[in-house]
Amino acid sequence: AQKITQTQPGMFVQEKEAVTLDCTYDTSDQSYGLFWYKQPSSGEMIFLIYQGSYDEQNATEGRYSLNFQKARKSANLVISASQLGDSAMYFCAMSSPFSGGYNKLIFGAGTRLAVHP
Amino acid sequence: ETGVTQTPRHLVMGMTNKKSLKCEQHLGHNAMYWYKQSAKKPLELMFVYNFKEQTENNSVPSRFSPECPNSSHLFLHLHTLQPEDSALYLCASSQDPVSDGVLQYFGAGTRLSVL
């Protein structure tokens, strides 16, 4: 069964430092997508970055990069130059097929990141 | 502003009440989703609608009743809920639910408390 594991319930980082949030996944599918979302205290899930399983290059979006290691089934999020506004919950998710040829997102339990000044 | 609006943002209801959650997307998407986010649990997919047709019901109790009158609007009708149904209910939309890389855009959620 498809599963996403985020082993870090909480992380602390100093402002302007880099931080890595861990994500491992389990799937038997050959084609899948990996996503990271940010959820501030307001509740909204904000898309950060996407990596396709066949993409050879690691995805980058501004200060966000995804360290994709397919053989290890890991998709860690790296945030460079942390800012106070980065304090939030971060969720790793994977697209997974369900009935009728559609895909759904399976989410991990999340990591709460606190950025200290 | 993500283009997905949920109302109300907060809702407190008794177990015998009937209420509805509303979601509206302004992105021209064809698929809409309801998720439940309980404390200390991963997001759980509840329902998926594609072109107004329900394509997924993830074993959700019948006290939750979705309605999708058109591709832009999605409702979740609630009746005789239990305290364990207290959670953040998130709505999302996407262009289509087929592609591996399909991006879902989320609303800010409705925080529901059942007394």
Side-chain angles (χ1 to χ4, degrees), chain A residues 49-75:
Chain A
I49 196 166
Y50 164 79
Q51 178 88 38
S53 58
Y54 290 112
D55 294 340
E56 295 185 353
Q57 300 272 11
N58 285 344
T60 59
E61 289 285 348
R63 294 186 297 111
Y64 305 108
S65 60
L66 199 152
N67 184 0
F68 181 46
Q69 297 187 46
K70 194 170 183 177
R72 299 178 63 179
K73 293 189 175 178
S74 74

Side-chain angles (χ1 to χ4, degrees), chain B residues 76-88:
Chain B
L76 188 62
H77 303 301
L78 317 171
H79 63 97
T80 59
L81 294 191
Q82 305 298 311
E84 60 265 28
D85 296 323
S86 298
L88 180 68

Side-chain angles (χ1 to χ4, degrees), chain A residues 31-35 37 39 41-47 50 53 91 95 98-99 101-105 107-109, chain B residues 1-2 9 33 35 37 42-43 45 48 50 55-56 58 88 90 97-108:
Chain A
S31 179
Y32 49 90
L34 295 158
F35 302 78
Y37 282 86
Q39 187 179 40
S41 56
S42 59
E44 181 181 331
M45 297 282 281
I46 302 168
F47 166 74
Y50 164 79
S53 58
F91 292 93
S95 60
F98 64 95
S99 60
Y102 299 111
N103 276 281
K104 63 180 177 182
L105 287 181
F107 286 83
Chain B
E1 177 61 49
T2 65
R9 292 294 312 277
Y33 312 75
Y35 287 87
Q37 187 178 22
L43 265 76
L45 179 66
V48 181
N50 189 34
T55 59
E56 173 85 348
N58 202 21
L88 180 68
L90 289 161
V98 176
S99 168
D100 286 336
V102 64
L103 179 57
Q104 294 184 21
Y105 293 84
F106 286 80

